[in-house]
Amino acid sequence: MTDASIIDGKAFAARLRERVGQEVARLKDDAGLTPGLAVVLVGEDPASQVYVRNKGKQTLEAGMQSFEHRLSESTTQEELLDLVETLNADPEVHGILVQLPLPEQIDSAAVLDTIDPTKDVDGFHVINAGRLATGQDALVPCTPLGCLMLLRHHLGDLSGQRAVVVGRSNIVGKPLAQLLLGESCTVTIAHSRTRDLPAECRNADILVAAVGRPKMVKGDWIKPGATVIDVGINRVEGEEGKTRLVGDVDFDEAVKVAGAITPVPGGIGPMTIACLLANTLTAACRARACRPPT
């Protein structure tokens, strides 16, 4: 049996960003509207600083306005909520993203619930979650949306596929399960309490791993020929004390069994920011009641 084909998320994300840029240019010409994304960073978390810097850079490259708000670690919840309310009222801001995690003195749920659902480009607001769950138009969390795009691109029609999502977070597992249901897949959500998790995984035509545990999913957990989407990004110690990124799937084992697989890095990771830009464009179009991108 030949090794699995590699699903190149980095290349797909580059094409998606290019399409978003073309749509932004059209929106400027046709409606005089420039989409704007506001990103709020509280504190000095190094990983968050890298993410925010990359988001700002790619937002500008797509022709959008980028608004960055960097607040100190000691920022109070009231101060942050006041800023969110200001951004809600700003007509030049079409998307708002508050970078997580937040310092311990701030209730993340309260902050996310304060974001205007029409500007909630992370897709975490309870109204967007509810709209997604009931099959209505919603702003969808970026990572699950990226997973779905790659699956559609690789497999085409997903109808009737048996999908197993390992992980039940509100950020990835639950919304991705809803998206797959919307594609007429038969969906199982598995998690740490699932009995005989390997057996559940072996039933999957589409297997998604989103648990945050390095190399947890082994090759013998995978149905031969299945499509494997690895959402995990785990930093582990490698040779000579250097760290490296690995996924939730044991890639070296899985690649010999699966039909197709996303690598880490270079799989789902690049799709997240690209989908954030796509969501911002969609939010801007809906705000002006003009044609959103397809």
Side-chain angles (χ1 to χ4, degrees):
M1 183 177 176
T2 59
D3 285 358
S5 60
I6 304 301
I7 301 174
D8 190 343
K10 185 176 181 180
F12 189 98
R15 294 193 296 271
L16 177 57
R17 292 197 307 271
E18 182 179 357
R19 293 201 304 274
V20 168
Q22 292 168 351
E23 288 291 327
V24 168
R26 178 188 65 79
L27 201 58
K28 290 179 181 178
D29 292 341
D30 293 352
L33 175 62
T34 302
L37 173 62
V39 178
V40 180
L41 174 63
V42 184
E44 305 293 332
D45 182 76
S48 293
Q49 290 192 41
V50 172
Y51 291 146
V52 168
R53 185 166 60 247
N54 288 338
K55 287 167 183 171
K57 178 174 179 286
Q58 293 187 29
T59 301
L60 293 172
E61 287 175 350
M64 299 182 183
Q65 295 189 86
S66 176
F67 307 99
E68 286 190 12
H69 298 267
R70 295 174 179 262
L71 307 179
S72 73
E73 185 80 23
S74 61
T75 297
T76 66
Q77 180 166 313
E78 184 178 4
E79 288 170 334
L80 180 53
L81 293 177
D82 285 346
L83 173 58
V84 171
E85 293 286 15
T86 299
L87 297 174
N88 283 342
D90 188 340
E92 294 205 340
V93 173
H94 303 97
I96 301 170
L97 183 151
V98 178
Q99 184 68 46
L100 301 178
L102 291 168
E104 61 182 13
Q105 75 272 15
I106 297 175
D107 179 355
S108 298
V111 174
L112 296 178
D113 285 346
T114 302
I115 296 173
D116 181 342
T118 67
K119 297 187 177 186
D120 169 39
V121 287
D122 251 344
F124 294 160
H125 195 286
V126 66
I127 288 179
N128 279 317
R131 292 181 69 86
L132 175 61
T134 53
Q136 302 176 64
D137 285 339
L139 288 170
V140 178
C142 300
T143 299
L145 182 57
C147 294
L148 180 64
M149 287 182 176
L150 290 182
L151 285 167
R152 281 175 172 169
H153 179 69
H154 180 72
L155 295 172
D157 182 14
L158 304 182
S159 177
Q161 297 269 355
R162 184 177 293 276
V164 174
V165 180
V166 186
R168 53 180 166 176
S169 73
N170 293 331
I171 295 172
V172 180
K174 290 177 184 176
L176 181 54
Q178 297 292 348
L179 288 172
L180 292 169
L181 280 172
E183 297 292 315
S184 297
C185 292
T186 300
V187 182
T188 298
I189 301 179
H191 45 78
S192 60
R193 299 292 181 89
T194 298
R195 293 179 180 175
D196 201 350
L197 180 58
E200 291 289 348
C201 293
R202 280 191 287 269
N203 286 327
D205 304 308
I206 296 169
L207 178 61
V208 181
V211 290
R213 293 180 58 183
K215 298 187 177 184
M216 186 186 84
V217 177
K218 302 301 181 184
D220 62 2
W221 294 26
I222 296 168
K223 179 180 179 179
T227 301
V228 178
I229 302 293
D230 190 350
V231 181
I233 301 178
N234 308 287
R235 192 169 291 279
V236 299
E237 189 169 324
E239 297 177 358
E240 299 177 359
K242 295 180 180 179
T243 61
R244 61 190 181 96
L245 293 178
V246 299
D248 291 347
V249 176
D250 189 324
F251 182 87
D252 292 339
E253 291 186 8
V255 75
K256 300 183 184 305
V257 183
I261 188 170
T262 56
V264 177
I268 298 301
M271 292 295 297
T272 300
I273 295 180
C275 289
L276 174 67
L277 301 179
N279 274 353
T280 303
L281 175 59
T282 296
C285 289
R286 290 176 180 170
R288 189 66 70 89
C290 56
R291 179 171 61 87
T294 55

